[in-house]
Amino acid sequence: MKSKTTTRYAILGLLSIQPMSGYDMKQFVDMAFKHFWSESYGRLYPTLRQLETEGLLKSRVYRQRGRPDRRVHTITDKGRRELTEWLEQPASLPRVRSDLLLKLFFGHNVPVPSSIEQIRRQREVLETVLKTLQSYRPAVDEGGLSGDQRMFFLLTIRNGELVNKARIKWCDEAIKILSKHVSSNEETPS
Amino acid sequence: MKSKTTTRYAILGLLSIQPMSGYDMKQFVDMAFKHFWSESYGRLYPTLRQLETEGLLKSRVYRQRGRPDRRVHTITDKGRRELTEWLEQPASLPRVRSDLLLKLFFGHNVPVPSSIEQIRRQREVLETVLKTLQSYRPAVDEGGLSGDQRMFFLLTIRNGELVNKARIKWCDEAIKILSKHVSSNEETPS
DNA sequence: CGTGTCATGTAATCAGTTACATGATTCA
DNA sequence: TGAATCATGTAACTGATTACATGACACG
């Protein structure tokens, strides 16, 4: 009874690029996939062991001087087959959870400036996210990636750019609308 | 040891609009919050009982002819206080999981037209999501909502519009880039 | 001398979905 | 007659994070 979690395929996908340790994967996901995916050690390591017993990858431990051992994983042919099979399956819609929108929807319970402040804070964070994302571009262009891999990487970055720009634009619109609402209520106080 | 899940506040927020049954909440969330939140009965009903024992809401069962009993919940003052307290806390960034972008990133394992097809399929779904979202606008304008509630509702819809339009725009860009890539490889076959 | 990085892993917990049970009524 | 809607609820499960343990070394 093996459940086919997406973590399995994230791992196999990463190994289809190059051999890696669990630690490497975590670093990579936290950087390159930050705007659309995440993995924790708590899922990564057990899943790696599981994939090895299934024969989808093999691993070897490398001893290092002054550093902990490194277990480097390599994808097998069987692993590649299972990966491409998954890649051909239709993708689902992105799953989104936004407590900001939840809070905004219930904004009638709180002074309007409080909602404005929420959005303003979020806008700031989104701005830094966007900048971080854009800072990867040169590295991707120069880094020793194959032509295809470069293209796919840039496409995911582009997705983050467009979506985050849309979010920021929404913040600006929302702040404007809410601010008008505040000042129009100042003109006619109770 | 009570964990303060967001489901708690989603429930309290809904009850701050009007008294509701668990079933009502599910309907409402599936409609109005679809693009940024979800709740299942499996979490809704137990959390409702929990909130009642904590005194944040009270409930009454209404018998109906030919239909199951309805348990209607009303928020208490204590509930309102806890809700507004949460509303003032800074919101986090939206959590996103997109297996489409994951698959695209690993696209080098699969023929490029397969990736194009993935994006084309997703584009179609996004288009219907967007249309559904926009179809709510008139109902929100006419529906018997207070001025504030109407504004907050429209703001969340607007968010869905902008973000989904950005996603669709990205699909178009990505399809174009990948298609060019395919035809340029046709010109110089191996 | 304390903090951070490298590195793997487990246990506990939290978060969230799915499947099932019940049962009357409405609609095609 | 069979499916869909209304309505509540539980049990089982999957999915995912957090906290902790270990330990050498580098950096300020």
Side-chain angles (χ1 to χ4, degrees), chain A:
Chain A
M1 301 302 128
K2 38 182 171 179
S3 58
K4 309 284 185 114
T5 66
T6 310
T7 299
R8 289 167 66 88
Y9 304 108
I11 289 173
L12 293 175
L14 289 170
L15 294 181
S16 80
I17 299 170
Q18 51 171 293
M20 280 178 155
S21 68
Y23 189 84
D24 293 337
M25 291 177 190
K26 175 76 170 138
Q27 305 295 102
F28 194 90
V29 169
D30 283 351
M31 286 273 255
F33 296 175
K34 195 157 197 228
H35 58 297
F36 65 88
W37 201 258
S38 66
E39 289 295 346
S40 60
Y41 289 127
R43 279 187 68 69
L44 229 28
Y45 285 117
T47 307
L48 279 167
R49 291 307 114 242
Q50 174 64 24
L51 290 175
E52 184 154 32
T53 64
E54 289 178 39
L56 305 182
L57 59 82
K58 53 191 170 63
S59 74
R60 229 196 96 182
V61 176
Y62 291 86
R63 225 154 278 165
Q64 304 183 119
R65 10 150 187 74
R67 286 188 183 176
D69 292 352
R70 250 171 80 79
R71 184 181 286 273
V72 177
H73 307 80
T74 313
I75 192 167
T76 62
D77 288 349
K78 196 179 169 195
R80 272 185 202 279
R81 280 197 298 277
E82 191 137 328
L83 172 62
T84 54
E85 206 178 280
W86 173 73
L87 288 172
E88 306 274 13
Q89 304 295 326
S92 34
L93 276 181
R95 304 201 157 272
V96 182
R97 308 216 110 201
S98 165
D99 60 346
L100 176 74
L101 291 181
L102 209 52
K103 285 181 184 195
L104 185 68
F105 194 96
F106 302 138
H108 57 276
N109 296 285
V110 119
V112 175
S114 169
S115 294
I116 294 175
E117 183 57 18
Q118 284 284 9
I119 300 171
R120 207 194 47 70
R121 261 195 299 260
Q122 178 110 151
R123 208 214 108 108
E124 250 175 55
V125 183
L126 289 171
E127 200 81 63
T128 71
V129 168
L130 182 60
K131 269 170 193 155
T132 309
L133 211 52
Q134 286 169 334
S135 76
Y136 293 157
R137 273 191 177 279
V140 173
D141 278 322
E142 291 155 28
L145 294 163
S146 79
D148 278 20
Q149 241 142 51
R150 215 181 115 267
M151 175 178 67
F152 292 123
F153 204 153
L154 290 174
L155 281 174
T156 59
I157 290 179
R158 180 66 180 148
N159 183 281
E161 278 177 11
L162 283 175
V163 170
N164 276 308
K165 276 182 188 168
R167 291 209 185 102
I168 290 170
K169 189 183 170 192
W170 173 82
C171 287
D172 291 335
E173 274 192 36
I175 289 169
K176 200 175 276 180
I177 288 169
L178 291 172
S179 301
K180 251 181 220 163
H181 193 262
V182 170
S183 54
S184 77
N185 279 20
E186 277 173 354
E187 284 163 33
T188 55
S190 55

Side-chain angles (χ1 to χ4, degrees), chain B residues 167-186:
Chain B
R167 290 210 185 102
I168 290 170
K169 189 185 172 193
W170 174 82
C171 287
D172 291 336
E173 274 192 36
I175 290 169
K176 201 176 275 180
I177 289 169
L178 291 172
S179 301
K180 251 181 219 164
H181 193 262
V182 170
S183 52
S184 78
N185 279 19
E186 277 171 354

Side-chain angles (χ1 to χ4, degrees), chain B residues 140-159:
Chain B
V140 173
D141 279 322
E142 290 155 29
L145 294 164
S146 80
D148 277 19
Q149 242 143 49
R150 215 181 116 267
M151 175 179 67
F152 291 123
F153 204 153
L154 289 174
L155 280 174
T156 61
I157 290 178
R158 180 69 180 146
N159 183 280

Side-chain angles (χ1 to χ4, degrees), chain B residues 79-90:
Chain B
R80 274 185 200 277
R81 279 197 298 278
E82 192 136 328
L83 173 61
T84 56
E85 206 178 279
W86 174 74
L87 289 173
E88 306 274 11
Q89 304 296 325

Side-chain angles (χ1 to χ4, degrees), chain B residues 13-124:
Chain B
L14 289 170
L15 294 181
S16 80
I17 299 170
Q18 51 170 293
M20 281 179 156
S21 69
Y23 190 84
D24 293 337
M25 290 177 191
K26 174 76 170 138
Q27 305 295 102
F28 195 89
V29 169
D30 284 351
M31 286 273 256
F33 295 175
K34 194 156 196 222
H35 58 296
F36 65 89
W37 201 257
S38 67
E39 289 296 345
S40 59
Y41 289 127
R43 280 187 67 71
L44 230 29
Y45 285 117
T47 307
L48 280 167
R49 289 309 114 243
Q50 174 63 23
L51 290 174
E52 184 154 33
T53 62
E54 287 179 40
L56 305 183
L57 60 81
K58 52 191 170 64
S59 73
R60 228 195 99 182
V61 177
Y62 291 86
R63 225 153 279 166
Q64 303 184 116
R65 9 154 186 69
R67 286 187 182 179
D69 293 352
R70 250 172 81 79
R71 184 182 286 271
V72 177
H73 307 79
T74 312
I75 192 169
T76 62
D77 287 348
K78 196 178 169 196
R80 274 185 200 277
R81 279 197 298 278
E82 192 136 328
L83 173 61
T84 56
E85 206 178 279
W86 174 74
L87 289 173
E88 306 274 11
Q89 304 296 325
S92 35
L93 275 182
R95 306 202 156 271
V96 182
R97 309 216 109 202
S98 166
D99 61 346
L100 176 74
L101 291 180
L102 210 52
K103 286 181 182 194
L104 186 68
F105 194 95
F106 302 138
H108 57 276
N109 296 286
V110 121
V112 175
S114 168
S115 294
I116 295 176
E117 184 56 20
Q118 283 285 7
I119 300 170
R120 207 194 48 71
R121 259 194 301 260
Q122 179 112 149
R123 208 213 108 108
E124 250 175 56

